[in-house]
Amino acid sequence: MTERSFDPGALVDAAAPLLKLALTPESRAQTILHLKIAAEQAELLLSALIGDEYEPAPVYQP
Amino acid sequence: MTPLLDGSAQGIAAAVKGGVASAVEVTEAALGRIEARDGAYGAFTDVLAERALVRAAAIDAARARGERLGPLAGAPFAVKNLFDVKGLPTRAGSRINRDLPPAEADATLVTRLESAGAVLVGALNMGEYAYDFTGQNAHDGPSRNPHDLAHMSGGSSGGSGAAVAGGLVPIALGSDTNGSIRVPSAFCGVFGLKPTYGRLSRARTFPFVASLDHLGPFARSVVDLATAYDAMLGRDLDDPAQTDVVPMPSVLSLHDGIADLRIARLGGYFARSGEPCALEAVDRVAAALKAERIVEPAEAHRARAAAYLITMIEGAALHLKRLQTRAKDFDPEVRDRLIAGAMLPGAWAVEAQKFRRLFREQTLALFKDVDILLAPATPCRAPKLGQKTFVLDGKEMLVRPNLGIFTQPISFIGLPVAAVPVWTEGEALPVGVQIIAPPWREDLALRVARVLEREGVVAAPVAAFG
């Protein structure tokens, strides 16, 4: 099965109605840019070896 | 009155206590300076002359009755406009929040500084909803860097940095989610303290990313920074994230020196990507402190990525209803990042929070062998206002989200940081260094900052005006 590349425009167009957001063309273009940056950051994060035993820290306790 | 306004809050308090100047005289002079200079700086959004003069008169009356005055008696201060100030809508840099009813009470930290004798003179400009590192605001205009008005103040607490650097107030308060105290401190050349997550109360302030939000002071001297910080310590049940730890005042040990401290600089991620000036500033600070050791945090790049994603997702959750109903009233640069955040997978947020635990464990392990870590505050000096991109590590990047690449991994795990300004002869603008301490040891970071200040390695002069 071929891995499909991320299409941020398709995500914006599908998610905006779900989130009840109305985007202008300018806003859509910028949102796509920020989704691309976020996807790069996520790729970095998700390549970490985080074990199943690690519970999240929704509020950090130093 | 100029020497007092250009000096420290400590100097003002001494003058007021000693009868050299009244609190009313100091307040009138500060209000006059704000009137004369803030048109150039854009630091203030609200000036509270009547309230300030009433407060100052009360201090003078207390002195006349022979009462003991607080450590900040008569010292003017101002707060980022996400702090509640009774009678003002808490705008948080936005157009939308101006429709909120006026705050019914002051933020806890405002009350605590006033209890120490400080006089609130106004609320300060900031990037919209604190999602900003530049100090620019689409609604109120930018807060400008007092050391070069064509350059950014840094953000999101841009008005706080500009007001202190411009000599409008000796102390200001700001917030720091990913670097919003440390970036404007670095760009404007003032001292800033981001305390441990959960240390100072955030009650009655407008949030951004609850799991990352901190509040803290700016000042032009380390003693002022420490005095303001100490005055704000204490349990407050109105902040659900404040941790019940014993307050540890910093002023008493501020001059103890660093002979007992093991100091190292952060390498790896923190020694790459910055412009030479940012890395050289760390060299100078490290040399002054005789910090030869370099330690490498294992996964700072991932910590930054995780903080970036948590910010997008939590920030979007906070603002979703406003994005649905008032999208056109947002600053477009903030709105579109928030919209993107609303569309990100929830699994990413959970993974980021899981990684947070892992990175905390890895980083706290470093503190078994060292007491203080040094790192750049920003990758460069303040960019020009309006600059959209810059080149880091050979890659063109957006300025707005990337000025915090060195601050984000540290606030991600809530460590306390004092930001100190380093100057280079011939350069109008400073660059900042982070002095990072273990959790709850703000006192150690401030001690190191004080040594550097005493030895002339760091300084926060008032910018020349006109």
mmCIF file of all heavy atoms in Angstrom, chain B residues 68-104:
data_model
loop_
_atom_site.group_PDB
_atom_site.id
_atom_site.type_symbol
_atom_site.label_atom_id
_atom_site.label_comp_id
_atom_site.label_asym_id
_atom_site.label_seq_id
_atom_site.Cartn_x
_atom_site.Cartn_y
_atom_site.Cartn_z
ATOM 1 N N ARG B 68 5.541 52.032 59.015
ATOM 2 C CA ARG B 68 6.654 51.440 58.269
ATOM 3 C C ARG B 68 6.199 51.207 56.819
ATOM 4 O O ARG B 68 5.144 50.611 56.575
ATOM 5 C CB ARG B 68 7.032 50.116 58.921
ATOM 6 C CG ARG B 68 8.249 49.499 58.319
ATOM 7 C CD ARG B 68 8.670 48.269 59.107
ATOM 8 N NE ARG B 68 9.817 47.637 58.472
ATOM 9 C CZ ARG B 68 10.319 46.486 58.852
ATOM 10 N NH1 ARG B 68 9.789 45.839 59.865
ATOM 11 N NH2 ARG B 68 11.352 45.972 58.233
ATOM 12 N N LEU B 69 7.014 51.664 55.875
ATOM 13 C CA LEU B 69 6.657 51.516 54.465
ATOM 14 C C LEU B 69 7.280 50.254 53.883
ATOM 15 O O LEU B 69 8.309 49.769 54.363
ATOM 16 C CB LEU B 69 7.118 52.741 53.669
ATOM 17 C CG LEU B 69 6.554 54.093 54.140
ATOM 18 C CD1 LEU B 69 7.042 55.215 53.228
ATOM 19 C CD2 LEU B 69 5.027 54.065 54.182
ATOM 20 N N GLY B 70 6.678 49.751 52.809
ATOM 21 C CA GLY B 70 7.139 48.516 52.176
ATOM 22 C C GLY B 70 8.432 48.708 51.394
ATOM 23 O O GLY B 70 8.880 49.832 51.155
ATOM 24 N N PRO B 71 9.021 47.602 50.946
ATOM 25 C CA PRO B 71 10.321 47.669 50.257
ATOM 26 C C PRO B 71 10.267 48.351 48.893
ATOM 27 O O PRO B 71 11.313 48.701 48.354
ATOM 28 C CB PRO B 71 10.717 46.193 50.116
ATOM 29 C CG PRO B 71 9.424 45.441 50.205
ATOM 30 C CD PRO B 71 8.557 46.219 51.125
ATOM 31 N N LEU B 72 9.076 48.531 48.366
ATOM 32 C CA LEU B 72 8.958 49.196 47.063
ATOM 33 C C LEU B 72 8.187 50.510 47.192
ATOM 34 O O LEU B 72 7.573 50.984 46.229
ATOM 35 C CB LEU B 72 8.261 48.257 46.064
ATOM 36 C CG LEU B 72 9.033 46.974 45.728
ATOM 37 C CD1 LEU B 72 8.156 46.002 44.922
ATOM 38 C CD2 LEU B 72 10.302 47.300 44.935
ATOM 39 N N ALA B 73 8.242 51.122 48.350
ATOM 40 C CA ALA B 73 7.417 52.305 48.634
ATOM 41 C C ALA B 73 7.580 53.391 47.577
ATOM 42 O O ALA B 73 8.681 53.907 47.361
ATOM 43 C CB ALA B 73 7.788 52.873 50.003
ATOM 44 N N GLY B 74 6.487 53.690 46.909
ATOM 45 C CA GLY B 74 6.466 54.779 45.942
ATOM 46 C C GLY B 74 7.026 54.440 44.575
ATOM 47 O O GLY B 74 7.055 55.306 43.690
ATOM 48 N N ALA B 75 7.465 53.206 44.369
ATOM 49 C CA ALA B 75 8.054 52.836 43.079
ATOM 50 C C ALA B 75 6.952 52.573 42.054
ATOM 51 O O ALA B 75 6.105 51.706 42.267
ATOM 52 C CB ALA B 75 8.935 51.601 43.245
ATOM 53 N N PRO B 76 6.961 53.269 40.936
ATOM 54 C CA PRO B 76 5.942 53.011 39.913
ATOM 55 C C PRO B 76 6.146 51.647 39.255
ATOM 56 O O PRO B 76 7.283 51.208 39.068
ATOM 57 C CB PRO B 76 6.170 54.136 38.886
ATOM 58 C CG PRO B 76 7.059 55.132 39.553
ATOM 59 C CD PRO B 76 7.865 54.361 40.556
ATOM 60 N N PHE B 77 5.053 50.998 38.910
ATOM 61 C CA PHE B 77 5.149 49.777 38.101
ATOM 62 C C PHE B 77 3.948 49.704 37.168
ATOM 63 O O PHE B 77 2.966 50.424 37.344
ATOM 64 C CB PHE B 77 5.251 48.514 38.974
ATOM 65 C CG PHE B 77 3.957 48.035 39.598
ATOM 66 C CD1 PHE B 77 3.284 46.938 39.095
ATOM 67 C CD2 PHE B 77 3.415 48.687 40.708
ATOM 68 C CE1 PHE B 77 2.106 46.467 39.680
ATOM 69 C CE2 PHE B 77 2.228 48.240 41.300
ATOM 70 C CZ PHE B 77 1.578 47.129 40.784
ATOM 71 N N ALA B 78 4.068 48.842 36.176
ATOM 72 C CA ALA B 78 2.981 48.658 35.206
ATOM 73 C C ALA B 78 2.911 47.184 34.842
ATOM 74 O O ALA B 78 3.876 46.441 35.043
ATOM 75 C CB ALA B 78 3.228 49.509 33.972
ATOM 76 N N VAL B 79 1.766 46.761 34.317
ATOM 77 C CA VAL B 79 1.554 45.331 34.054
ATOM 78 C C VAL B 79 1.049 45.106 32.637
ATOM 79 O O VAL B 79 0.273 45.900 32.097
ATOM 80 C CB VAL B 79 0.552 44.720 35.065
ATOM 81 C CG1 VAL B 79 1.115 44.779 36.478
ATOM 82 C CG2 VAL B 79 -0.808 45.392 35.013
ATOM 83 N N LYS B 80 1.530 44.049 32.043
ATOM 84 C CA LYS B 80 1.041 43.583 30.737
ATOM 85 C C LYS B 80 -0.482 43.563 30.776
ATOM 86 O O LYS B 80 -1.066 43.155 31.803
ATOM 87 C CB LYS B 80 1.607 42.175 30.522
ATOM 88 C CG LYS B 80 1.372 41.530 29.181
ATOM 89 C CD LYS B 80 2.141 40.207 29.125
ATOM 90 C CE LYS B 80 2.047 39.547 27.766
ATOM 91 N NZ LYS B 80 2.900 38.335 27.684
ATOM 92 N N ASN B 81 -1.133 43.940 29.693
ATOM 93 C CA ASN B 81 -2.577 44.120 29.819
ATOM 94 C C ASN B 81 -3.395 42.828 29.800
ATOM 95 O O ASN B 81 -4.610 42.866 29.572
ATOM 96 C CB ASN B 81 -3.092 45.191 28.847
ATOM 97 C CG ASN B 81 -3.021 44.770 27.385
ATOM 98 O OD1 ASN B 81 -3.090 43.593 27.054
ATOM 99 N ND2 ASN B 81 -2.883 45.754 26.500
ATOM 100 N N LEU B 82 -2.768 41.717 30.125
ATOM 101 C CA LEU B 82 -3.537 40.505 30.427
ATOM 102 C C LEU B 82 -3.741 40.319 31.933
ATOM 103 O O LEU B 82 -4.402 39.365 32.356
ATOM 104 C CB LEU B 82 -2.919 39.254 29.782
ATOM 105 C CG LEU B 82 -1.491 38.816 30.040
ATOM 106 C CD1 LEU B 82 -1.240 38.404 31.462
ATOM 107 C CD2 LEU B 82 -1.115 37.689 29.084
ATOM 108 N N PHE B 83 -3.157 41.206 32.740
ATOM 109 C CA PHE B 83 -3.445 41.203 34.181
ATOM 110 C C PHE B 83 -4.750 41.957 34.420
ATOM 111 O O PHE B 83 -4.947 43.050 33.870
ATOM 112 C CB PHE B 83 -2.330 41.926 34.964
ATOM 113 C CG PHE B 83 -1.054 41.154 35.103
ATOM 114 C CD1 PHE B 83 -0.199 40.979 34.018
ATOM 115 C CD2 PHE B 83 -0.686 40.610 36.320
ATOM 116 C CE1 PHE B 83 0.984 40.271 34.145
ATOM 117 C CE2 PHE B 83 0.504 39.900 36.460
ATOM 118 C CZ PHE B 83 1.338 39.730 35.369
ATOM 119 N N ASP B 84 -5.615 41.417 35.257
ATOM 120 C CA ASP B 84 -6.810 42.157 35.645
ATOM 121 C C ASP B 84 -6.412 43.399 36.438
ATOM 122 O O ASP B 84 -5.600 43.328 37.371
ATOM 123 C CB ASP B 84 -7.723 41.301 36.525
ATOM 124 C CG ASP B 84 -8.549 40.299 35.730
ATOM 125 O OD1 ASP B 84 -8.356 40.209 34.500
ATOM 126 O OD2 ASP B 84 -9.387 39.610 36.353
ATOM 127 N N VAL B 85 -6.974 44.517 36.024
ATOM 128 C CA VAL B 85 -6.841 45.767 36.772
ATOM 129 C C VAL B 85 -8.266 46.260 37.007
ATOM 130 O O VAL B 85 -9.017 46.447 36.041
ATOM 131 C CB VAL B 85 -6.037 46.817 35.981
ATOM 132 C CG1 VAL B 85 -6.042 48.155 36.715
ATOM 133 C CG2 VAL B 85 -4.617 46.339 35.744
ATOM 134 N N LYS B 86 -8.626 46.398 38.238
ATOM 135 C CA LYS B 86 -10.000 46.762 38.577
ATOM 136 C C LYS B 86 -10.436 47.992 37.769
ATOM 137 O O LYS B 86 -9.739 49.012 37.750
ATOM 138 C CB LYS B 86 -10.115 47.054 40.079
ATOM 139 C CG LYS B 86 -11.545 47.296 40.524
ATOM 140 C CD LYS B 86 -11.619 47.545 42.025
ATOM 141 C CE LYS B 86 -13.066 47.807 42.426
ATOM 142 N NZ LYS B 86 -13.197 48.093 43.856
ATOM 143 N N GLY B 87 -11.566 47.823 37.085
ATOM 144 C CA GLY B 87 -12.124 48.941 36.320
ATOM 145 C C GLY B 87 -11.775 48.925 34.840
ATOM 146 O O GLY B 87 -12.358 49.679 34.062
ATOM 147 N N LEU B 88 -10.833 48.047 34.435
ATOM 148 C CA LEU B 88 -10.465 47.948 33.018
ATOM 149 C C LEU B 88 -10.887 46.592 32.467
ATOM 150 O O LEU B 88 -10.742 45.579 33.150
ATOM 151 C CB LEU B 88 -8.953 48.062 32.832
ATOM 152 C CG LEU B 88 -8.249 49.371 33.167
ATOM 153 C CD1 LEU B 88 -6.742 49.216 32.900
ATOM 154 C CD2 LEU B 88 -8.820 50.515 32.336
ATOM 155 N N PRO B 89 -11.380 46.547 31.220
ATOM 156 C CA PRO B 89 -11.518 45.228 30.585
ATOM 157 C C PRO B 89 -10.126 44.665 30.330
ATOM 158 O O PRO B 89 -9.222 45.404 29.925
ATOM 159 C CB PRO B 89 -12.253 45.535 29.274
ATOM 160 C CG PRO B 89 -12.033 46.978 29.013
ATOM 161 C CD PRO B 89 -11.783 47.647 30.338
ATOM 162 N N THR B 90 -9.943 43.384 30.595
ATOM 163 C CA THR B 90 -8.616 42.767 30.446
ATOM 164 C C THR B 90 -8.442 42.395 28.981
ATOM 165 O O THR B 90 -8.830 41.314 28.551
ATOM 166 C CB THR B 90 -8.490 41.543 31.373
ATOM 167 O OG1 THR B 90 -8.786 41.981 32.708
ATOM 168 C CG2 THR B 90 -7.093 40.957 31.329
ATOM 169 N N ARG B 91 -7.820 43.264 28.218
ATOM 170 C CA ARG B 91 -7.846 43.098 26.770
ATOM 171 C C ARG B 91 -6.898 42.010 26.273
ATOM 172 O O ARG B 91 -7.096 41.473 25.182
ATOM 173 C CB ARG B 91 -7.578 44.421 26.070
ATOM 174 C CG ARG B 91 -6.178 44.940 26.185
ATOM 175 C CD ARG B 91 -5.942 46.155 25.265
ATOM 176 N NE ARG B 91 -6.511 47.390 25.810
ATOM 177 C CZ ARG B 91 -6.384 48.571 25.195
ATOM 178 N NH1 ARG B 91 -5.771 48.650 24.030
ATOM 179 N NH2 ARG B 91 -6.883 49.653 25.744
ATOM 180 N N ALA B 92 -5.846 41.709 26.995
ATOM 181 C CA ALA B 92 -4.894 40.672 26.561
ATOM 182 C C ALA B 92 -4.433 40.911 25.125
ATOM 183 O O ALA B 92 -4.288 39.973 24.331
ATOM 184 C CB ALA B 92 -5.491 39.277 26.725
ATOM 185 N N GLY B 93 -4.237 42.147 24.792
ATOM 186 C CA GLY B 93 -3.727 42.483 23.476
ATOM 187 C C GLY B 93 -4.731 42.361 22.347
ATOM 188 O O GLY B 93 -4.380 42.551 21.188
ATOM 189 N N SER B 94 -5.975 42.049 22.669
ATOM 190 C CA SER B 94 -6.953 41.754 21.621
ATOM 191 C C SER B 94 -7.938 42.905 21.432
ATOM 192 O O SER B 94 -8.092 43.765 22.293
ATOM 193 C CB SER B 94 -7.728 40.492 21.994
ATOM 194 O OG SER B 94 -8.611 40.775 23.058
ATOM 195 N N ARG B 95 -8.615 42.889 20.304
ATOM 196 C CA ARG B 95 -9.765 43.768 20.111
ATOM 197 C C ARG B 95 -10.998 43.156 20.790
ATOM 198 O O ARG B 95 -11.808 43.853 21.396
ATOM 199 C CB ARG B 95 -10.041 43.920 18.616
ATOM 200 C CG ARG B 95 -11.249 44.798 18.281
ATOM 201 C CD ARG B 95 -11.622 44.656 16.816
ATOM 202 N NE ARG B 95 -10.542 45.054 15.932
ATOM 203 C CZ ARG B 95 -10.317 46.311 15.537
ATOM 204 N NH1 ARG B 95 -11.119 47.273 15.934
ATOM 205 N NH2 ARG B 95 -9.324 46.593 14.741
ATOM 206 N N ILE B 96 -11.099 41.833 20.698
ATOM 207 C CA ILE B 96 -12.306 41.136 21.156
ATOM 208 C C ILE B 96 -12.548 41.349 22.647
ATOM 209 O O ILE B 96 -13.664 41.632 23.079
ATOM 210 C CB ILE B 96 -12.176 39.626 20.831
ATOM 211 C CG1 ILE B 96 -12.147 39.430 19.309
ATOM 212 C CG2 ILE B 96 -13.303 38.834 21.474
ATOM 213 C CD1 ILE B 96 -11.717 38.050 18.869
ATOM 214 N N ASN B 97 -11.499 41.240 23.440
ATOM 215 C CA ASN B 97 -11.680 41.313 24.900
ATOM 216 C C ASN B 97 -12.066 42.707 25.399
ATOM 217 O O ASN B 97 -12.462 42.861 26.551
ATOM 218 C CB ASN B 97 -10.402 40.871 25.609
ATOM 219 C CG ASN B 97 -10.265 39.372 25.681
ATOM 220 O OD1 ASN B 97 -10.764 38.676 24.801
ATOM 221 N ND2 ASN B 97 -9.594 38.872 26.693
ATOM 222 N N ARG B 98 -11.942 43.695 24.517
ATOM 223 C CA ARG B 98 -12.356 45.038 24.971
ATOM 224 C C ARG B 98 -13.851 45.104 25.213
ATOM 225 O O ARG B 98 -14.350 46.035 25.843
ATOM 226 C CB ARG B 98 -11.939 46.087 23.932
ATOM 227 C CG ARG B 98 -10.448 46.280 23.932
ATOM 228 C CD ARG B 98 -9.984 47.102 22.749
ATOM 229 N NE ARG B 98 -8.706 46.555 22.313
ATOM 230 C CZ ARG B 98 -7.738 47.241 21.730
ATOM 231 N NH1 ARG B 98 -7.897 48.515 21.471
ATOM 232 N NH2 ARG B 98 -6.624 46.668 21.388
ATOM 233 N N ASP B 99 -14.579 44.106 24.708
ATOM 234 C CA ASP B 99 -16.018 44.049 24.957
ATOM 235 C C ASP B 99 -16.351 43.391 26.286
ATOM 236 O O ASP B 99 -17.525 43.324 26.666
ATOM 237 C CB ASP B 99 -16.708 43.276 23.823
ATOM 238 C CG ASP B 99 -16.564 43.982 22.477
ATOM 239 O OD1 ASP B 99 -16.247 45.198 22.478
ATOM 240 O OD2 ASP B 99 -16.740 43.327 21.444
ATOM 241 N N LEU B 100 -15.357 42.869 26.968
ATOM 242 C CA LEU B 100 -15.607 42.255 28.272
ATOM 243 C C LEU B 100 -15.958 43.344 29.292
ATOM 244 O O LEU B 100 -15.527 44.492 29.162
ATOM 245 C CB LEU B 100 -14.371 41.505 28.759
ATOM 246 C CG LEU B 100 -13.940 40.274 27.962
ATOM 247 C CD1 LEU B 100 -12.603 39.760 28.488
ATOM 248 C CD2 LEU B 100 -14.999 39.193 28.028
ATOM 249 N N PRO B 101 -16.702 42.984 30.328
ATOM 250 C CA PRO B 101 -16.938 43.963 31.393
ATOM 251 C C PRO B 101 -15.635 44.282 32.113
ATOM 252 O O PRO B 101 -14.706 43.472 32.120
ATOM 253 C CB PRO B 101 -17.926 43.248 32.325
ATOM 254 C CG PRO B 101 -17.777 41.809 32.022
ATOM 255 C CD PRO B 101 -17.354 41.693 30.585
ATOM 256 N N PRO B 102 -15.547 45.459 32.704
ATOM 257 C CA PRO B 102 -14.324 45.798 33.455
ATOM 258 C C PRO B 102 -14.060 44.790 34.571
ATOM 259 O O PRO B 102 -14.998 44.257 35.179
ATOM 260 C CB PRO B 102 -14.633 47.181 34.036
ATOM 261 C CG PRO B 102 -15.744 47.717 33.203
ATOM 262 C CD PRO B 102 -16.541 46.539 32.731
ATOM 263 N N ALA B 103 -12.786 44.534 34.823
ATOM 264 C CA ALA B 103 -12.423 43.619 35.909
ATOM 265 C C ALA B 103 -12.942 44.166 37.236
ATOM 266 O O ALA B 103 -12.883 45.374 37.493
ATOM 267 C CB ALA B 103 -10.907 43.463 35.957
ATOM 268 N N GLU B 104 -13.413 43.250 38.074
ATOM 269 C CA GLU B 104 -13.964 43.671 39.371
ATOM 270 C C GLU B 104 -12.903 43.724 40.459
ATOM 271 O O GLU B 104 -13.139 44.284 41.533
ATOM 272 C CB GLU B 104 -15.089 42.719 39.784
ATOM 273 C CG GLU B 104 -16.288 42.818 38.833
ATOM 274 C CD GLU B 104 -17.413 41.889 39.221
ATOM 275 O OE1 GLU B 104 -17.259 41.152 40.218
ATOM 276 O OE2 GLU B 104 -18.445 41.896 38.529
#
